[in-house]
Amino acid sequence: MVLVAGAAVAAVTGMKVFDYNRDNFMEDREQRLKMEFAQRKFRITQGKLWREDVRGIVSLTEKKLSILLLVDVLLLSFSVNLWTEGRLAETTPAWLTMGMQIAIVIAFFFLVLAVWLGMHAAVAAQSYQTRLLTQLVRLPIPSWEELEACRTYASEFERVEPRQMFRIPFLFGKTQEDVAKDSATATSSGDGRALGGSEEASTQPLTIAAAVAADPWGLERRGGGVSEVGRS
């Protein structure tokens, strides 16, 4: 009877410990999913800031050109009025009259060239802005593979080491640190999704590059070397 009672107590205790660790695993993976979504929101916000920067830089050029075009058009109208309605005294020497006419014609063509170049610059700035916004500075919308990599199936708990499944709280806390360190230096050829990769990469060996894994389950690599995280 004593052995039966001891076995029953051990079984109940093991079940409780197993359920406790499984609940912790699912809670950690849920927090990881929320972290992934929060990070993607930050990246989208950062992308929106970059797009606003592009619009601000290009709009500065357009505003300057609009003012310059206005001044050029006014000067062009002045030169036309001076050319058509301007009169010199009848006693003005011919060479002076010819010089004035040449100066007005040169100024007219110079202002026409300035207006044309200003319009060309404005169109070029708008075209380059469109190219930047449509080809280079796009919002980082995640792909299907990235979204799939964020998922965690409940059956993935079965791939966790047994010492993690039956870890007794407050007594074997060191176990989690050992698992994280072991998984950080070992090369795994198992499920790529559990290591933060996509499901298509599950057949390729992956290595966690950090010194210690980011999670106590030894399934996630740290994001310190990921440029998209944007620590700068």
Side-chain angles (χ1 to χ4, degrees), residues 42-107:
F42 293 149
R43 291 177 60 188
I44 291 176
T45 302
Q46 188 180 39
K48 291 180 179 179
L49 292 176
W50 289 339
R51 293 173 68 87
E52 290 178 2
D53 293 340
V54 171
R55 293 190 181 97
I57 294 173
V58 176
S59 64
L60 178 62
T61 302
E62 292 179 348
K63 290 179 181 178
K64 284 185 176 181
L65 289 175
S66 63
I67 296 175
L68 291 176
L69 286 174
L70 178 61
V71 175
D72 290 340
V73 170
L74 290 176
L75 292 177
L76 187 61
S77 64
F78 294 158
S79 64
V80 171
N81 291 332
L82 184 60
W83 193 8
T84 57
E85 299 181 3
R87 294 291 185 272
L88 295 177
E90 295 180 357
T91 57
T92 303
W95 63 268
L96 184 58
T97 303
M98 181 62 67
M100 185 192 73
Q101 296 295 329
I102 293 174
I104 293 175
V105 171
I106 293 175

Side-chain angles (χ1 to χ4, degrees), residues 22 25-26 29 32 148-149 151-161 165 191-195 219:
R22 187 178 184 279
F25 176 82
M26 298 305 297
R29 305 309 285 180
R32 172 182 175 269
E148 182 67 19
R151 295 181 58 184
T152 299
Y153 296 97
S155 60
E156 290 185 2
F157 182 71
E158 301 172 4
R159 301 186 180 92
V160 178
E161 296 185 10
M165 294 182 180
D191 188 5
R193 294 177 64 258
L195 293 175
L219 300 179

Side-chain angles (χ1 to χ4, degrees), residues 10-226:
V12 173
T13 303
M15 183 62 67
K16 293 293 184 181
V17 172
F18 179 85
D19 292 340
Y20 171 81
N21 289 308
R22 187 178 184 279
D23 292 339
N24 279 345
F25 176 82
M26 298 305 297
E27 177 66 22
D28 290 343
R29 305 309 285 180
E30 182 180 357
Q31 294 297 326
R32 172 182 175 269
L33 181 63
K34 293 180 180 179
M35 181 196 68
E36 290 279 353
F37 287 164
Q39 177 185 349
R40 298 193 182 282
K41 289 182 180 179
F42 293 149
R43 291 177 60 188
I44 291 176
T45 302
Q46 188 180 39
K48 291 180 179 179
L49 292 176
W50 289 339
R51 293 173 68 87
E52 290 178 2
D53 293 340
V54 171
R55 293 190 181 97
I57 294 173
V58 176
S59 64
L60 178 62
T61 302
E62 292 179 348
K63 290 179 181 178
K64 284 185 176 181
L65 289 175
S66 63
I67 296 175
L68 291 176
L69 286 174
L70 178 61
V71 175
D72 290 340
V73 170
L74 290 176
L75 292 177
L76 187 61
S77 64
F78 294 158
S79 64
V80 171
N81 291 332
L82 184 60
W83 193 8
T84 57
E85 299 181 3
R87 294 291 185 272
L88 295 177
E90 295 180 357
T91 57
T92 303
W95 63 268
L96 184 58
T97 303
M98 181 62 67
M100 185 192 73
Q101 296 295 329
I102 293 174
I104 293 175
V105 171
I106 293 175
F108 175 80
F109 283 108
F110 177 81
L111 292 173
V112 170
L113 181 63
V115 171
W116 180 77
L117 291 177
M119 295 177 61
H120 176 74
V123 173
Q126 293 178 357
S127 301
Y128 197 72
Q129 174 184 349
T130 304
R131 178 175 179 271
L132 287 176
L133 295 179
T134 56
Q135 297 182 9
L136 301 179
V137 188
R138 303 291 291 175
L139 292 179
I141 305 300
S143 62
W144 171 256
E145 289 77 10
E146 292 175 339
L147 293 176
E148 182 67 19
C150 298
R151 295 181 58 184
T152 299
Y153 296 97
S155 60
E156 290 185 2
F157 182 71
E158 301 172 4
R159 301 186 180 92
V160 178
E161 296 185 10
R163 56 177 175 173
Q164 288 284 75
M165 294 182 180
F166 297 98
R167 183 185 63 85
I168 300 177
F170 305 106
L171 294 181
F172 299 100
K174 188 69 174 177
T175 303
Q176 291 185 328
E177 299 179 2
D178 295 338
V179 170
K181 292 180 180 179
D182 294 342
S183 62
T185 56
T187 300
S188 174
S189 60
D191 188 5
R193 294 177 64 258
L195 293 175
S198 61
E199 189 172 2
E200 288 76 5
S202 60
T203 59
Q204 299 179 358
L206 298 175
T207 304
I208 299 181
V212 180
D215 67 326
W217 307 98
L219 300 179
E220 301 178 21
R221 66 191 69 195
R222 295 187 179 273
V226 181

